[in-house]
Amino acid sequence: MAPTSSIQFIDAALSCTTPFSLSYTDSEQKWLIRKHLISFLQDYPTFIPSNDSFTHNDGTTVNLLNATGYLHVSSSTPPIHLTIWVHESYPFIPPMVFISSNNANHHHHNHPFVDSCGGIASAYLQTWSYPGHNLSELVHNLVKIFSHDHPFANSSPGPTLSHPSFASKREALDRLSAMLHYDAAAVMSKTAEEIEELSILQVEMKKRAGVIENIVTELEMERKKLKERAMELGDKADVLRSWLAANDPKSFEVMNEIEDAFEAIGEGSKIVVEKLAADKAVEDVIYALDKALEEEVVSFEIYIRQIRMLAREQFFHRDFLVKLKGWDIRI
């Protein structure tokens, strides 16, 4: 039986008509609240009834009954300090249940049924429906939940859960909710790690893109300078040609002969010159790739793949030259 003092307190609080009276207006509702509270206190006599103001999330303040006490789950785990507030629309709206932490015990923030503020959101509360639900069964359900996954233990549910074939529908629902919660938390944690890794990779790629852009800009400027220099040398060569033609025709003829000596004569010679030029171009590209690898502009995998392709191309060029001119050709 519930303590007499608790019953007297509940009766006095529900019958109070002062400005500090409770926010329960219907007489039948008050009778039902009294019945459920007394039944709950009979099952859990360590809880003490009280009344106080309660502020909802929307800022509304009401005067409500509550029951506070320690819930003993097992002898091997610390007791859980609970406060159960009876909603002003009870029993059609479920009560609000909170866990109070202390310096010795802090509830872990990844619990499937306890939020960061200590509020309990179990499947029993979320599926609350009168007359199938009441305070006593609520706390009995909390004992089962916390025996599998204690809020003061920093671990996920262990193998103490009942076998599915022996679990009730409600216990199976609680078990499924807990498993889904921890699975979702693991996926979110893994996703956060992957996002962090991709963010670091993105920063590195932007850095490399900047380096490549600078190299391309420098090469473009160098090409422009070389083009201007070539045009300048060409103009000077034209001036020299004109001067030699006007002042020393014999030297002009010798100069033309020297230029002709470096021109390829015949189709075979032209092919040799083209292959030699292609071979030297491959050498230049390999050198550029070596520098890019040293500056970490390209990855080692890309470097190896490009080197293999270039080496293959260079081999065919040199093989053609060897077949055409023999091993004594200078490459």
Side-chain angles (χ1 to χ4, degrees):
M1 183 176 179
T4 304
S5 58
S6 296
I7 297 175
Q8 291 175 348
F9 176 84
I10 294 171
D11 289 338
L14 290 173
S15 61
C16 178
T17 57
T18 66
F20 301 100
S21 61
L22 300 175
S23 299
Y24 312 111
T25 56
D26 186 73
S27 58
E28 292 185 3
Q29 178 195 24
K30 292 181 179 180
W31 177 85
L32 191 60
I33 290 173
R34 179 183 185 276
K35 177 182 176 182
H36 283 195
L37 269 176
I38 292 175
S39 175
F40 164 67
L41 294 174
Q42 287 176 345
D43 294 335
Y44 300 94
T46 57
F47 280 77
I48 300 174
S50 180
N51 69 295
D52 202 346
S53 60
F54 182 89
T55 303
H56 289 288
N57 292 334
D58 60 0
T60 305
T61 301
V62 289
N63 293 324
L64 302 177
L65 280 170
N66 66 72
T68 305
Y70 285 94
L71 184 65
H72 296 272
V73 177
S74 68
S75 59
S76 60
T77 57
I80 305 169
H81 189 268
L82 289 182
T83 301
I84 304 173
W85 293 86
V86 182
H87 196 277
E88 65 268 23
S89 297
Y90 185 91
F92 303 103
I93 301 296
M96 294 79 71
V97 188
F98 295 90
I99 287 178
S100 299
S101 302
N102 51 47
N103 294 331
N105 298 305
H106 295 277
H107 70 275
H108 67 88
H109 296 291
N110 192 31
H111 197 279
F113 303 117
V114 183
D115 61 28
S116 58
C117 298
I120 295 178
S122 65
Y124 188 94
L125 288 171
Q126 292 174 346
T127 58
W128 180 279
S129 177
Y130 178 75
H133 294 68
N134 56 63
L135 297 175
S136 293
E137 288 188 6
L138 165 65
V139 178
H140 181 67
N141 176 254
L142 292 179
V143 171
K144 285 189 174 182
I145 289 175
F146 294 149
S147 65
H148 303 322
D149 191 359
H150 200 281
F152 296 151
N154 294 319
S155 61
S156 58
T160 56
L161 286 168
S162 301
H163 190 276
S165 60
F166 299 105
S168 65
K169 180 179 180 180
R170 182 169 296 132
E171 186 177 357
L173 181 61
D174 291 334
R175 176 182 180 181
L176 178 61
S177 299
M179 293 173 64
L180 290 175
H181 172 83
Y182 285 111
D183 288 345
V187 170
M188 290 179 65
S189 177
K190 181 64 176 178
T191 302
E193 292 178 2
E194 292 178 353
I195 291 175
E196 181 66 21
E197 292 175 357
L198 290 174
S199 298
I200 295 173
L201 180 60
Q202 183 181 29
V203 172
E204 181 64 23
M205 293 302 293
K206 286 183 177 180
K207 179 182 176 181
R208 294 187 180 185
V211 173
I212 294 174
E213 186 176 352
N214 291 336
I215 292 175
V216 171
T217 302
E218 291 176 1
L219 290 174
E220 185 65 25
M221 292 177 63
E222 187 68 22
R223 187 186 68 84
K224 186 177 180 181
K225 290 179 180 179
L226 290 173
K227 187 176 180 180
E228 292 175 353
R229 181 60 176 166
M231 292 177 65
E232 181 181 347
L233 292 174
D235 293 340
K236 290 182 178 180
D238 290 339
V239 172
L240 181 59
R241 284 173 181 273
S242 300
W243 185 88
L244 288 173
N247 298 279
D248 193 357
K250 184 177 289 188
S251 298
F252 181 71
E253 292 176 1
V254 173
M255 185 177 181
N256 286 335
E257 292 176 359
I258 293 173
E259 289 183 355
D260 292 340
F262 289 95
E263 292 184 4
I265 300 174
E267 191 65 28
S269 298
K270 288 182 179 180
I271 294 175
V272 171
V273 171
E274 289 176 359
K275 291 296 182 180
L276 287 172
D279 180 77
K280 296 301 181 184
V282 171
E283 287 288 344
D284 293 341
V285 175
I286 293 176
Y287 176 77
L289 283 173
D290 290 339
K291 299 299 290 183
L293 181 64
E294 290 178 6
E295 296 177 4
E296 297 183 352
V297 175
V298 298
S299 65
F300 183 74
E301 291 78 7
I302 295 175
Y303 170 81
I304 288 296
R305 185 164 61 250
Q306 294 297 327
I307 288 296
R308 286 176 178 173
M309 293 172 58
L310 291 169
R312 180 181 177 83
E313 182 180 349
Q314 190 179 48
F315 169 79
F316 285 121
H317 291 320
R318 294 189 176 184
D319 181 65
F320 180 85
L321 290 171
V322 170
K323 289 179 179 178
L324 187 64
K325 294 293 184 178
W327 289 101
D328 59 340
I329 186 171
R330 296 190 178 184
I331 300 175

